[in-house]
Amino acid sequence: MLTNNQIIMMRKILLFLFCIALAWSAKAQQRNVTGKVTDAADGSGLPGVSVLVKGTSNGTVSDSDGNYSIDAPAQAVITFSFIGFRTQEIALGERAIIDVSMTADITQLSEVVVIGYGEREKKDLTGSISTLNAKELNNEIRMTPELAMQGKMAGVFVSNPGSDPNARPIIRIRGVSTLGFNDPLYVIDGVPITEGGAGSAVGRDQDLRGPVNIMNMINPNDIESISVLKDASATAIYGVRASNGVILIQTKRGKEGKARINFSSNYGIQNIKKRYDVLNTQEYVNLYNEAWNNNTVAGRALSDWGTLYDPNSPEYLGNSPTYNWMDNATVKNASIQDYNLSVSGGTQKSTYALGGGYASQQNAVFKSQFSRYSFFINSDHQVTNWLKLGESFRLIYSQTEADGGPGIANASLINPWQPLFDPSQPNGYALPRGTVKGVSNSRGFGNSTRDNFLAIDPLVYDQRGMLRNLGSAYAEVTPLKGLRVRGTLSVDYYTNTKESFSLPEAGLYNAQAGTLNANGSSYGRRQSENFNIVKEFLIGYNKSFGDHKIDIVLNAMDQKYNWNNIDQSVNNTGILSFDQRRMVEGILPADKNLFVERNRSGLLGYMARVSYNYNSKYYLDATIRRDGSSKFAPGYKWGTFPAVGAAWRVSGENFMSGTTNWLDDLKIRLGWGKSGNQETRDFAYLSLLNNNPKYAVGSNGGTPGTIVNGAILGDFPVVDMSWETVTTQNIGFDALFLNSKLSFTMEYYHRFTEGILQGIEIPRVIGALNNPVVNLASVVNNGIEMQIGFNEKIGELGIHANANFTTVKNRVTKLYRNQPQGGRIEVGYPINYIFGYQMGGIFQNQAEIDQWRLTNSSPGTETQLSPGDIFFNDLNGPALPEDGPDAYLNRNPDGVTNGFDQTYLGKTIPGFFWGMGVNLDYKGFDFGLTFRGLGDVQRVNGVRWSGESMGNGGVNALSSVSGRWTSENPSNTMPRAISGDPSQNARFSNRWVEDASFFRLQNAQLGYNLNTNSKVLQKMGATNLRVFTSLSNVFVISPYTGLDPEDDSTPITLMFGLNLGF
Amino acid sequence: MSLSSCNEATIDLDPIGNTEASFFQNEAQMTEAVFGTYAKLSYFYKRGGSGGDNLQSIWLLPSDDLTTPGETSTEIFSTLQGTDGKLSRYFNFSYQIISRANIVMEKIIQNGSFAYDAASNADDHHRGEALFLRSLMYFNLWNIYGTAPLVTKRITSLDDAFPGNSTGTQLLDQAIIDLTEAVTLLPAAWNVQNLGRANKNSARGLLSKCLVFRGTVNNTNADFTAAITTVNAMTGMALAPNFNDNFDGLKENNVESLFEFQANRSIANTNPWVGGNDDFAVIGELNGFWGFFNNQGTDGGNNTFRATSSIKNAFEVGDPRIDFSFNMAVDAANGHNVRKYVLNNVTTPDNPWLGLSQNNPRILRYADVLLLKAEAIVRSGGNLSEAIGLVNDIRTRARASKVGATVPANLAIPGTSAQALNLIFNERRLELAFEEGHRWYDLRRRHLAGEINLTTLNFGALRADFNFREFNIYFPLPEAEVLQSLNLNQNAGY
């Protein structure tokens, strides 16, 4: 049944089509012009080129050989336009034959995009894919490619990781679709990257895995392109691993021609300039004395550390100077450097590329550093006209050193009287030990005495070395034109070796031990070995029948993954330096410790993709993939992931010929598909035996007992868990306007995640150690994405601008047994929303307290309730019979403030994020700015939580506590200072939640390219030379009151670089 | 390369290591499962993070024997709430032991026919040990929370995972049933290599304790007579020659011992900070910890547990037990005075400042049981002189603990049973001071029975925010557990 509206709409469309048809037939007095359109690159005829008499709707398209014929009046101007080529306008003059040679417009639609198991021209895409090419990547100098992606791609969120070079970046594609493992799948030159323990939420697995940043193994200089597959019609080819999106990285390969040599060199410095404003020693002492005075029960005299704050005690520290730890806890001018050399070239039959590089980065926070040696080689060989062979191989050795340090929060809130330096000590460093209440105490500066990290640094070593081999080889046979049969073998093998060494003296500077380490000098070596082998077999066929093109891909994959951990450690080695570290056989058995653990997983996948394209106007892609995974129980192993994508090039239709003077291309895309997620703890469906518990029996009259093995079942397995699936729907359009100067893409996406794999909290009465993994929840993410690009040349000035904008709305729609989970996950709310108490206000006088007590109580936190304390809102109570059998709480105040009253305080998934870039070039100069930001997001300010709590732990406070409640200066926002916080004013509440939206100038860059004709270059025999400088994190504007809304350690980075080509 | 390389073997993987299905196949493996159940006991006694995280404050502090100036909810009561971290952990660990015991019993039923030799009675021993350990948890849960849920079989479905509160003495009732069976299953004694495992006497000791406790609050005579019978059935038990042998790290599992947590020394890899899970294969959990009695400011500092003047005054001058239990004066330099367990401690050499100890906590000893028997005799209307005779055995041993001691003298037979009870409870207090929550549990059951009123008792607390109210007799259940469950209600008042 059609509604009235639909009928009216249809009439309008018919009328429109009729008008176009009329225009088409209306031909004036004209003569015939013919010619051939060819591709300038190879001289071949170009079919489908739109040929139009300018200013009219009179046009045609070239035939399959590129020939055309059109009637045009004299003096006419004819435009030739074709997707991916520069539009040309030619005045007809007296000619009757006009042959046109068209040049490709590389930056636009003919750009080849890697789509997984193949590539495709941008104009022919049906799925939602964002791309970055080498040029865009190298425009900014960053150590790792993910930072180059920042702010550049709609729907792709890349967080600022701070200054730690080893930190894993947070990359989220179109929101947060699951609870545990949210990282996208990385595929490097066709090899899917897997990591041991990736999906495990068990802390120990994470610890064993170590801080591996996948992106760290790729030198951005080696990258040809990055494609991000966002919707299921694009990702479904990766099936069960693809629900978080797929990032395809293609590295550079050789091209036919003479050897091309490229050298690049970057050097920069990073600094953290911002500081928290904290109290000096005297203000700090005053604050704590006030806090003790306010406590009617536990005053200074009862405190372990009270004498340090007592002006009448000989142990008083209040006259000490104020020491600044932040300047020592940050590294000034932390260096960042990167050098690369690569060569590529080839003949018609064989091409090659190889290169090497060295990079290093110091953390601007004390103290860690990263260095990387990388090497790659690849080649392709057309052995016979039907056989092609090739390989690619990367070898990366990276080394990281982490020497600890207090970090920014601790260094900011250190009690201000603890010194780092003491000239009277032989090494010049101050001990944390001191005299407290007449006794020597390892925490001599109070409860929050910190380790002297500067003294410990040379005594403790923690190094990781990772050697990674990533290689693949293929053989491709072409028995018939259009048919290819390809086998690929890929291996990713890496060992991550952690070495730790500690000298006993380190214990002296440890604020808890304060004595020599009892284990003597100790040495540990832990090796995490990952072995991933992928076998793939592919059959591809493509053929054109007139205007019909079809492309079929069939693929079978077998992936085996092994993860081994070997850990050995010894104590009392007597070794005096890291350089001499070893484990000799003679070490006493009691000083030796070792374990070897193995784990494995496997994946099978079968995939078929059929792509059809009619005349570059109508596209249809259909994919189906079937995956089997070892992660699930028999009967639940296999999953099927179908997807369909369709596109319609509206601008290719005849009725659109009237718009060709302003609209170059318009394509509407539609997609639907499913993909999966398998990442969770291995064998979570099984009840595994845990052999860790030990007991001792036989202790008798001073003879110690014998330690015996215990065995327990710590799991509560849920067998029927299986794939988590994401169903994506996508509708969007791509448009090019004004001679392709302006491009615009807009999409609407809807991602529905079903059966999220997640460990759930279970009642403790079960007695399990591990939470079971179940298909816990369903989540919807939806939103729009927009991407705009603009390129213009005004005289010598080139302008390139782009902007993207993404919105994300995230809602949990269903939960296992409808049971809210800590963290916090609840139906109707976004994943991991911020959950806590809501501050009601501050009691200003006793009368208000008395009034409150008439109807309220707060068990456990009322003993010293006084003016200046916070009252929290009583919102809910325990479920009552009328709430029904499934209710967990009653949404009416019950007069008791307790756990039931915790509520929604904010969300951690940004409601929108955006990026914007402007690049200008003039003659040899170029200048670029990149902005990015996000909004509609909240964040817990942990430093302020500690720094305004006033009473816990003796840490220093932020200067903002001068606004605290006192009887002279009553505040409505900040409570009084009271030691021990008996009313729990500092409990987790909306006091600590802040708006974390921001606007950041991420990067500013100035470069100069020497003209190819320059004499300097010619003298050097070089083909190009570029020098540039950039500044990152130039400024950020945010209501967030911490140092940075993303990460306090975000440094300002100044870089200089040089690229030289021969 | 061929398609045949893709075969199901890639995804039909077994884990490296044993699974539930592949284990519990022989006696050695069943024994490991039993040891795994014992092993969790360490979580009640180990250091548990910083020294202040140890759980013994839950049962040691809430009485008139010990106090601390530190902020501890079970000392001052007014700050007790469902979010209390220690009470949550105590709850978790208790149910983990119950679960492990239930699994042992389930596996004996499922695999017993082939896992044990026909001639072996190890299956009976194992079931007895599981019942004993589970009963110990029921006993503790009743004393701490009162209304904690009763779980008698392994929970394998979430449908069964939300039991409601237990009521009355339901937890003790189950313990009594189980211990009665355990007495019939357990061996009379273990060989020297297995010293420390529960035996018949262990079960009899705990059974008589449960019976006396239940009898007290329910006023049931049968429980007292059953308790007397149970104690009388014990064989081979005696009081150690010296009172201090019960707290001496070199005299563990002695003749007076009924059940102890077998503290030991970790090898090489001490990690006493690891919290409430057995995920990490560190052996730090084997340690005990007594730092709350004597540690320096680094760990606990002035917040050490101190003997109250009330317990000090309860002793007669010259009682040898004083010197083994505490200093009369607070140690001025260190702010502590309790000596039990730390006087003859055996600490581990691993990082001495951590205060890790190998000295076994004596969970149940014969002196306790003898006094319970004396109490049961009095309460069941028995012979007062027999009852006081038992008390005098305790006092005689106390005198024998120091050369030349003349106090405590033997007691004369009182005229009334009420007087006799008072003498017995006083002796329990002196003999069992600072051990295993004996004092608090006694006060608590007597309050529940209406014999005394704790709301008027002087707890000797140092802090002004001490405030004991009637409802504090039950500690709060973990709030997270209450919020999660539709069936479990928080104890009143929290």
Side-chain angles (χ1 to χ4, degrees), chain A residues 202 204 297-298 302-305 437 439 441-443 488 512-513 515 518 535-536 556-560 571 590 592-593 598 600-604 606 628-630 637-638 683 686-702 705 707-713 716 761-770 816-817 819 859-861 863 885-888 898-900 984, chain B residues 1 3 5-8 10-16 18-20 23-24 32-33 35-36 38-41 47 69 78-81 91-92 95-96 99-100 103 149 154-159 161-163 192-193 195 197 250 252-253 260-262 264-265 267-269 273 277-281 286 296-298 300-303 333 349 351-353 463-465 479 481 483-484 486 493-494:
Chain A
V202 177
R204 182 165 186 274
V297 173
L302 275 183
S303 163
D304 290 344
W305 320 101
K437 297 204 166 169
V439 179
N441 192 308
S442 67
R443 286 188 277 178
T488 312
Q512 191 157 31
T515 53
K535 292 177 272 188
E536 285 192 275
M557 183 215 70
D558 175 305
Q559 180 175 3
K560 292 189 176 75
N571 292 330
K592 289 180 188 163
N593 187 58
R598 295 170 50 223
R600 57 193 174 189
S601 63
L603 199 59
L604 286 179
Y606 302 96
S629 164
S630 65
K637 286 184 187 293
W638 287 91
F683 304 108
L686 280 175
S687 176
L688 300 179
L689 195 84
N690 180 334
N691 267 123
N692 291 334
K694 297 284 174 285
Y695 201 55
V697 285
S699 161
N700 180 22
I707 295 174
V708 290
N709 277 320
I712 56 160
L713 300 175
F716 184 77
E761 291 155 20
I762 51 173
R764 297 291 115 192
V765 291
I766 292 172
L769 294 177
N770 304 317
Y816 192 72
R817 300 180 77 96
Q819 184 116 44
T861 63
T863 55
D886 296 331
Y888 285 87
N898 58 13
F900 288 104
Q984 293 185 7
Chain B
M1 195 170 317
L3 268 176
S5 64
C6 296
N7 68 52
E8 292 265 339
T10 300
I11 58 169
D12 282 340
L13 298 179
D14 287 326
I16 309 292
N18 281 308
T19 63
E20 178 175 348
F23 202 74
F24 308 102
E32 284 193 22
F35 285 139
Y38 281 105
K40 197 78 200 186
L41 286 173
R47 184 185 145 97
S78 63
T79 54
L80 268 177
Q81 49 184 316
F91 187 91
N92 296 350
Y95 283 97
Q96 284 168 14
S99 158
R100 292 176 191 188
I103 288 170
R154 181 185 182 187
I155 299 172
T156 53
S157 159
L158 282 178
D159 296 331
F162 299 93
V192 71
Q193 288 82 17
L195 272 186
R197 295 173 71 172
L250 299 178
E252 295 165 340
N253 300 320
E260 304 177 6
F261 161 59
Q262 305 293 316
N264 208 289
R265 195 211 145 177
I267 297 175
N269 200 3
W273 292 276
N277 216 326
D278 303 271
D279 269 352
F280 279 79
L286 271 173
Q296 305 293 313
T298 306
N302 290 346
N303 298 339
N351 293 322
W353 52 274
R463 290 174 61 106
D465 50 356
E479 183 175 275
E481 195 80 355
L483 290 178
Q484 200 183 3
L486 297 173
Y494 299 103

Side-chain angles (χ1 to χ4, degrees), chain B residues 336-388:
Chain B
H336 62 252
N337 63 355
V338 175
R339 286 178 152 183
K340 242 179 198 179
Y341 288 109
V342 293
L343 184 63
N344 293 92
N345 201 358
V346 178
T347 51
T348 74
D350 325 311
N351 293 322
W353 52 274
L354 287 170
L356 307 183
S357 172
Q358 292 177 243
N359 197 359
N360 290 357
R362 275 62 164 187
I363 293 174
L364 199 58
R365 61 187 177 96
Y366 192 49
D368 178 16
V369 173
L370 285 181
L371 291 169
L372 288 167
K373 180 184 167 188
E375 182 186 339
I377 292 169
V378 175
R379 286 187 187 273
S380 61
N383 183 334
L384 292 190
S385 85
E386 185 193 353
I388 295 303

Side-chain angles (χ1 to χ4, degrees), chain A residues 129-148:
Chain A
I129 299 176
S130 292
T131 57
L132 279 180
N133 59 32
K135 192 169 160 259
E136 293 162 298
L137 279 164
N138 294 347
N139 205 21
E140 270 184 34
I141 336 151
R142 303 310 290 263
M143 293 284 280
T144 54
E146 78 270 12
L147 293 172

Side-chain angles (χ1 to χ4, degrees), chain A residues 756-824:
Chain A
I756 288 179
L757 279 174
Q758 178 72 4
I760 55 161
E761 291 155 20
I762 51 173
R764 297 291 115 192
V765 291
I766 292 172
L769 294 177
N770 304 317
N771 289 332
V773 174
V774 301
N775 293 111
L776 169 72
S778 297
V779 174
V780 170
N781 281 278
N782 60 1
I784 55 163
E785 286 175 8
M786 276 187 285
Q787 182 115 26
I788 302 171
F790 179 71
N791 293 298
E792 174 66 295
K793 191 105 183 163
I794 304 171
E796 295 269 12
L797 176 69
I799 303 169
H800 314 276
N802 62 76
N804 64 76
F805 179 79
T806 306
T807 70
V808 180
K809 186 179 178 202
N810 180 292
R811 282 285 177 279
V812 175
T813 57
K814 206 177 115 193
L815 266 178
Y816 192 72
R817 300 180 77 96
N818 203 26
Q819 184 116 44
Q821 297 284 312
R824 160 120 177 167

Side-chain angles (χ1 to χ4, degrees), chain A residues 511-720:
Chain A
Q512 191 157 31
T515 53
L516 292 173
N517 286 340
N519 291 337
S521 81
S522 59
Y523 169 49
R525 184 182 167 87
R526 172 182 292 173
Q527 210 164 29
S528 172
E529 186 184 46
N530 287 252
F531 185 50
N532 177 18
I533 182 161
V534 185
K535 292 177 272 188
E536 285 192 275
F537 183 77
L538 179 141
I539 300 171
Y541 181 69
N542 64 70
K543 181 139 179 88
S544 304
F545 313 88
D547 287 336
H548 305 270
K549 266 192 206 157
I550 94 161
D551 184 0
I552 298 170
V553 176
L554 303 172
N555 190 74
M557 183 215 70
D558 175 305
Q559 180 175 3
K560 292 189 176 75
Y561 190 73
N562 283 288
W563 185 37
N564 304 328
N565 289 296
I566 303 164
D567 186 291
Q568 300 133 312
S569 61
V570 287
N571 292 330
N572 297 313
T573 60
I575 296 168
L576 298 177
S577 74
F578 182 62
D579 180 53
Q580 287 292 313
R581 67 195 183 277
R582 65 198 186 273
M583 299 182 188
V584 298
E585 217 177 338
I587 289 174
L588 294 175
D591 286 324
K592 289 180 188 163
N593 187 58
L594 104 106
F595 66 80
V596 176
E597 289 176 4
R598 295 170 50 223
N599 202 358
R600 57 193 174 189
S601 63
L603 199 59
L604 286 179
Y606 302 96
M607 188 274 283
R609 177 172 65 200
V610 179
S611 305
Y612 169 77
N613 153 6
Y614 174 74
N615 199 17
S616 294
K617 269 201 289 197
Y618 309 107
Y619 298 88
L620 189 70
D621 280 297
T623 309
I624 188 155
R625 180 161 176 136
R626 198 160 156 71
D627 272 310
S629 164
S630 65
K631 301 247 182 199
F632 306 104
Y636 300 93
K637 286 184 187 293
W638 287 91
T640 305
F641 305 98
V644 184
W648 176 30
R649 166 154 293 104
V650 182
S651 56
E653 300 290 352
N654 285 339
F655 63 76
M656 291 294 283
S657 54
T659 61
T660 44
N661 52 340
W662 58 274
L663 177 68
D664 305 293
D665 188 53
L666 174 66
K667 185 175 67 174
I668 295 173
R669 290 182 283 111
L670 262 171
W672 172 92
K674 282 189 175 194
S675 50
N677 181 14
Q678 63 156 351
E679 289 301 343
T680 186
R681 201 168 75 221
D682 284 311
F683 304 108
Y685 66 91
L686 280 175
S687 176
L688 300 179
L689 195 84
N690 180 334
N691 267 123
N692 291 334
K694 297 284 174 285
Y695 201 55
V697 285
S699 161
N700 180 22
T703 313
T706 310
I707 295 174
V708 290
N709 277 320
I712 56 160
L713 300 175
D715 298 326
F716 184 77
V718 175
V719 177
D720 63 355

Side-chain angles (χ1 to χ4, degrees), chain A residues 860-1013:
Chain A
T861 63
E862 282 184 60
T863 55
Q864 295 194 51
L865 209 53
S866 292
D869 280 336
I870 292 177
F871 59 93
F872 294 90
N873 287 337
D874 173 22
L875 302 169
N876 312 307
L880 299 172
E882 62 261 33
D883 297 316
D886 296 331
Y888 285 87
L889 48 80
N890 177 288
R891 297 205 178 270
N892 293 304
D894 65 339
V896 183
T897 310
N898 58 13
F900 288 104
D901 300 308
Q902 296 173 85
T903 187
Y904 176 89
L905 301 178
K907 65 201 188 81
T908 57
I909 301 169
F912 63 87
F913 56 90
W914 57 268
M916 204 164 70
V918 182
N919 281 284
L920 305 174
D921 58 71
Y922 182 74
K923 294 185 173 166
F925 289 95
D926 58 82
F927 175 68
L929 294 173
T930 308
F931 300 90
R932 57 184 279 271
L934 49 80
D936 188 20
V937 66
Q938 284 78 34
R939 191 178 166 195
V940 178
N941 188 336
V943 173
R944 192 165 65 79
W945 189 1
S946 302
E948 286 184 1
S949 285
M950 302 180 292
N952 286 328
V955 296
N956 202 357
L958 298 177
S959 302
S960 52
V961 299
S962 59
R964 68 185 175 272
W965 190 96
T966 58
S967 49
E968 300 81 38
N969 181 26
S971 163
N972 274 309
T973 52
M974 198 184 292
R976 64 184 179 140
I978 176 165
S979 68
D981 196 15
S983 306
Q984 293 185 7
N985 292 326
R987 74 180 72 176
F988 185 65
S989 71
N990 54 348
R991 263 182 93 189
W992 315 119
V993 179
E994 296 185 16
D995 182 344
S997 54
F998 67 83
F999 173 97
R1000 190 191 293 277
L1001 175 49
Q1002 186 73 40
N1003 198 60
Q1005 178 158 315
L1006 180 64
Y1008 180 66
N1009 288 295
L1010 228 58
N1011 193 307
T1012 330
N1013 303 323

Side-chain angles (χ1 to χ4, degrees), chain A residues 20-177:
Chain A
I20 288 171
L22 271 182
W24 191 251
S25 61
K27 292 180 181 172
Q29 195 58 32
Q30 290 165 336
R31 60 185 161 122
N32 187 257
V33 181
T34 59
K36 183 172 184 178
V37 188
T38 53
D39 184 344
D42 57 6
S44 63
L46 264 182
V49 176
S50 165
V51 184
L52 184 79
V53 179
K54 194 177 177 185
T56 73
S57 55
N58 177 16
T60 182
V61 288
S62 60
D63 66 15
S64 55
D65 295 323
N67 295 319
Y68 71 93
S69 167
I70 189 169
D71 292 334
Q75 315 310 324
V77 173
I78 300 182
T79 63
F80 297 84
S81 59
F82 188 50
I83 304 313
F85 288 82
R86 289 224 168 84
T87 300
Q88 295 196 25
E89 294 187 355
I90 294 173
L92 182 55
E94 300 299 313
R95 290 179 290 175
I97 297 172
I98 300 176
D99 292 334
V100 179
S101 171
M102 296 193 64
T103 43
D105 186 349
I106 284 300
T107 61
Q108 293 298 339
L109 296 170
S110 68
E111 185 185 331
V112 171
V113 174
V114 178
I115 58 169
Y117 300 105
E119 29 182 61
R120 192 172 284 185
E121 288 183 10
K122 201 166 189 172
K123 71 179 168 65
D124 295 333
L125 293 176
T126 60
S128 180
I129 299 176
S130 292
T131 57
L132 279 180
N133 59 32
K135 192 169 160 259
E136 293 162 298
L137 279 164
N138 294 347
N139 205 21
E140 270 184 34
I141 336 151
R142 303 310 290 263
M143 293 284 280
T144 54
E146 78 270 12
L147 293 172
M149 290 161 62
Q150 246 184 0
K152 298 236 166 64
M153 297 160 135
V156 181
F157 175 74
V158 181
S159 75
N160 241 350
S163 79
D164 183 355
N166 304 313
R168 290 172 78 87
I170 295 172
I171 299 182
R172 297 287 174 263
I173 296 169
R174 290 183 165 178
V176 175
S177 64

Side-chain angles (χ1 to χ4, degrees), chain B residues 171-388:
Chain B
L171 289 165
L172 293 180
D173 299 346
Q174 187 65 43
I176 288 165
I177 294 168
D178 291 344
L179 289 165
T180 307
E181 186 190 347
V183 169
T184 67
L185 297 172
L186 286 166
W190 290 94
N191 63 18
V192 71
Q193 288 82 17
N194 282 290
L195 272 186
R197 295 173 71 172
N199 58 28
K200 273 196 198 315
N201 286 337
S202 316
R204 288 182 182 125
L206 187 57
L207 174 58
S208 53
K209 193 158 193 173
C210 290
L211 285 165
V212 172
F213 272 53
R214 184 172 73 176
T216 311
V217 297
N218 290 349
N219 199 14
T220 40
N221 204 44
D223 283 337
F224 298 121
T225 52
I228 295 164
T229 315
T230 307
V231 178
N232 288 343
M234 284 184 166
T235 52
M237 296 307 302
L239 294 175
N242 189 311
F243 171 73
N244 191 46
D245 292 355
N246 294 304
F247 321 105
D248 184 336
L250 299 178
K251 297 186 174 162
E252 295 165 340
N253 300 320
N254 61 30
V255 66
E256 187 172 339
S257 169
L258 286 167
F259 190 66
E260 304 177 6
F261 161 59
Q262 305 293 316
N264 208 289
R265 195 211 145 177
S266 304
I267 297 175
N269 200 3
T270 298
N271 192 343
W273 292 276
V274 170
N277 216 326
D278 303 271
D279 269 352
F280 279 79
V282 287
I283 318 173
E285 294 86 344
L286 271 173
N287 302 116
F289 180 71
W290 302 106
F292 42 83
F293 285 153
N294 70 337
N295 253 25
Q296 305 293 313
T298 306
D299 236 345
N302 290 346
N303 298 339
T304 48
F305 302 173
R306 299 165 195 181
T308 60
S309 46
S310 160
I311 179 85
K312 288 179 192 166
N313 296 336
F315 278 96
E316 278 177 73
V317 177
D319 188 330
R321 290 178 294 190
I322 294 175
D323 288 345
F324 297 126
S325 303
F326 55 85
N327 278 329
M328 283 308 272
V330 171
D331 182 334
N334 298 315
H336 62 252
N337 63 355
V338 175
R339 286 178 152 183
K340 242 179 198 179
Y341 288 109
V342 293
L343 184 63
N344 293 92
N345 201 358
V346 178
T347 51
T348 74
D350 325 311
N351 293 322
W353 52 274
L354 287 170
L356 307 183
S357 172
Q358 292 177 243
N359 197 359
N360 290 357
R362 275 62 164 187
I363 293 174
L364 199 58
R365 61 187 177 96
Y366 192 49
D368 178 16
V369 173
L370 285 181
L371 291 169
L372 288 167
K373 180 184 167 188
E375 182 186 339
I377 292 169
V378 175
R379 286 187 187 273
S380 61
N383 183 334
L384 292 190
S385 85
E386 185 193 353
I388 295 303

